[in-house]
Amino acid sequence: MKKRKSIRIRMLEVYVVIMLLVFAINMYIVHSQSQAIRQIDGVYNSNIQLNDISTTLEKMQTSLYQYLNTKSSDELENYYLYEQDYRNLISELNEETVNDQNLLMEKNIRNMSDTYLEKTAGAIEAKRGRNVSCYNEEYSKAKKLYDYLQSCVRSLNTSVFLENSQNYSVLRSTLNYVVGFSMFLLTVSMLVALAWIVMMTRTITRPLIKLAEAANTIAKGGLEVDFPIIDTGDEISTVAKACNKMMNSIRDYIRQTKENYERESRLIENELIMKNDLKEAQLKYLQAQINPHFLFNSLNAAAQLAMMEGAENTCLFVQNMADFFRYNVRKMEKDTTLKEELELVDNYIYILNVRFAGEIHYTKQIDERVTGTMMPSMILQPLIENAVNHGIRELQGEGKIHLSVYSDDGMVCVKVEDNGVGIEPEVIEKIMRGESAHSHSQRDSAGIGMDNVINRLKRYYNMEHVIEIRRREERGTEVLIYLKREDIR
């Protein structure tokens, strides 16, 4: 896996490489120029050496002459000092036999110098021994050698100067070449460094420009645009990936917000529809669309009880009637609990049994733990009324209604069973499609049909599966409704 480098590391690498390159080129230039300058400085060293030899030889000859004429100890001391210097100078001359005219002349000068020094030493010894003829002869020989040595040194100096002048010209040309080549290297290195910097800058700025373009598009509302991911291996890729994650989160948030808004809109719409249904049911109820024969027969039965049995049963009957109608009026716009709905069913069954002389046998099996479940009002009474009007009412014999309440898989189930004539499959299909299964004249005496019950349950719990209607195998009908378990608070 390729190791990722940050922008700072990459820029630092470029800076270090360029600095090292410039430093290396400068070191090369300094070394080359220093070497050339040293060679130039050394060109005329041989001429300086020959000049020193000539000067020292002249001083030594003068000191010798002064000593021979005056016999001064100072002049003799000077002679020995110059002699030592002269010996040191000629010791640096060539002493080998080579195929070079100047070097051969150096060898001759060195050999003649040795002879000259022997003659001068003999003249000094003769002078000390007061041998006038001897030191004059030695001095005369030394003087001839001196003149010849000076002539040879000047001739060699001239020849070396001419040779060194040619070398100087070559060295100056070489120095100019070194300077030019050094400038060329500097120029090339700067161009290479500039090209490298431009390439690296483009590598960094190109994805940044694309990121900026994407950001401008997003700022104008194009939320579906993604930030381009260029695998540069630095912070830019990380920023692009982070921006894409941020945009995905924003898009998810916007989508969830829209979904929540649509869901809330549907809930508000369902709530409005439920209120309209309740208003419609209340209006129908308040407009006395309760079956008038039911109310008449009930009141007639109350009168008969009053005549035949006395006031106690009449009071009980009228109390149940009052509770029934009081619940309807009070709960028409409010939610209720399963317990209150079951109490309404008890009141309604009592009234029906008074009407039908106790022909309805009502049983129930209730799980008291779930009776606090919240639900819309006027749900169970229409189920009992349907069981009576379209089931056991047409039955010859005792009618039976069994109501059971239990919990199943997080739901509260309310089952109403009767032993009536049963229900036809096509009628079940109509009811499940939300259509009224009976004509207006045959609608429920409470004025609230099964379609109203089903629609209100669906909107209240926001679910589709709220009811099941089945024809019992032995006889009769079974209606099962599902309530979401949510105890009263």
Side-chain angles (χ1 to χ4, degrees), residues 428-439:
I428 297 176
E429 292 179 2
K430 285 185 177 182
I431 294 175
M432 297 305 294
R433 288 197 302 267
E435 301 175 5
S436 179
H438 309 284
S439 64

Side-chain angles (χ1 to χ4, degrees), residues 10-40:
R10 292 166 61 188
M11 294 183 66
L12 185 61
E13 287 179 349
V14 172
Y15 174 78
V16 170
V17 170
I18 291 176
M19 291 300 295
L20 290 176
L21 179 61
V22 172
F23 177 76
I25 292 175
N26 284 330
M27 290 299 295
Y28 169 76
I29 292 173
V30 171
H31 175 72
S32 299
Q33 289 181 347
S34 299
Q35 187 176 9
I37 291 173
R38 284 196 301 270
Q39 290 177 351
I40 291 174

Side-chain angles (χ1 to χ4, degrees), residues 367-427:
D367 184 354
E368 296 295 337
R369 295 174 298 178
V370 299
T371 55
T373 301
M374 298 297 297
M375 63 182 295
S377 61
M378 296 299 293
I379 296 296
L380 299 185
Q381 186 270 334
L383 301 183
I384 301 299
E385 189 172 10
N386 271 332
V388 173
N389 291 340
H390 305 293
I392 63 177
R393 189 173 184 178
E394 302 176 7
L395 181 68
Q396 298 296 327
E398 183 183 40
K400 295 181 180 180
I401 296 177
H402 179 72
L403 187 147
S404 57
V405 177
Y406 57 93
S407 60
D408 182 20
D409 195 20
M411 303 294 290
V412 176
C413 303
V414 180
K415 184 189 295 184
V416 177
E417 302 172 275
D418 65 69
N419 64 338
V421 297
I423 186 170
E424 299 300 327
E426 58 270 15
V427 177

Side-chain angles (χ1 to χ4, degrees), residues 9 33 37 54 61 76 87 113 134 138 140-142 177 183 185 204 228 239 249 259 291 307 322 329 377 391 467:
I9 296 299
Q33 289 181 347
I37 291 173
S54 177
Q61 179 66 25
L76 180 60
R87 288 184 181 276
S113 295
C134 183
E138 293 297 326
S140 178
K141 292 179 180 179
Y177 171 78
M183 295 301 297
L185 284 180
I204 296 174
V239 170
S249 299
E259 292 176 355
N291 191 333
M307 290 185 298
V329 173
S377 61
I467 190 168

Side-chain angles (χ1 to χ4, degrees), residues 281-341:
Q282 182 182 20
L283 181 61
K284 288 181 180 180
Y285 184 81
L286 294 177
Q287 289 176 347
Q289 292 195 7
I290 302 175
N291 191 333
H293 296 286
F294 171 78
L295 182 58
F296 177 79
N297 292 335
S298 299
L299 294 176
N300 187 43
Q304 291 176 4
L305 284 175
M307 290 185 298
M308 296 174 60
E309 297 181 3
E312 184 177 352
N313 289 332
T314 302
C315 179
L316 183 60
F317 176 77
V318 173
Q319 184 179 358
N320 279 278
M321 287 287 293
D323 290 342
F324 179 80
F325 288 113
R326 185 182 301 111
Y327 178 87
N328 280 273
V329 173
R330 180 169 54 87
K331 290 294 184 180
M332 193 57 68
E333 291 183 347
K334 299 180 180 179
D335 297 336
T336 185
T337 63
L338 178 57
K339 181 178 181 181
E340 292 176 324
E341 281 283 290

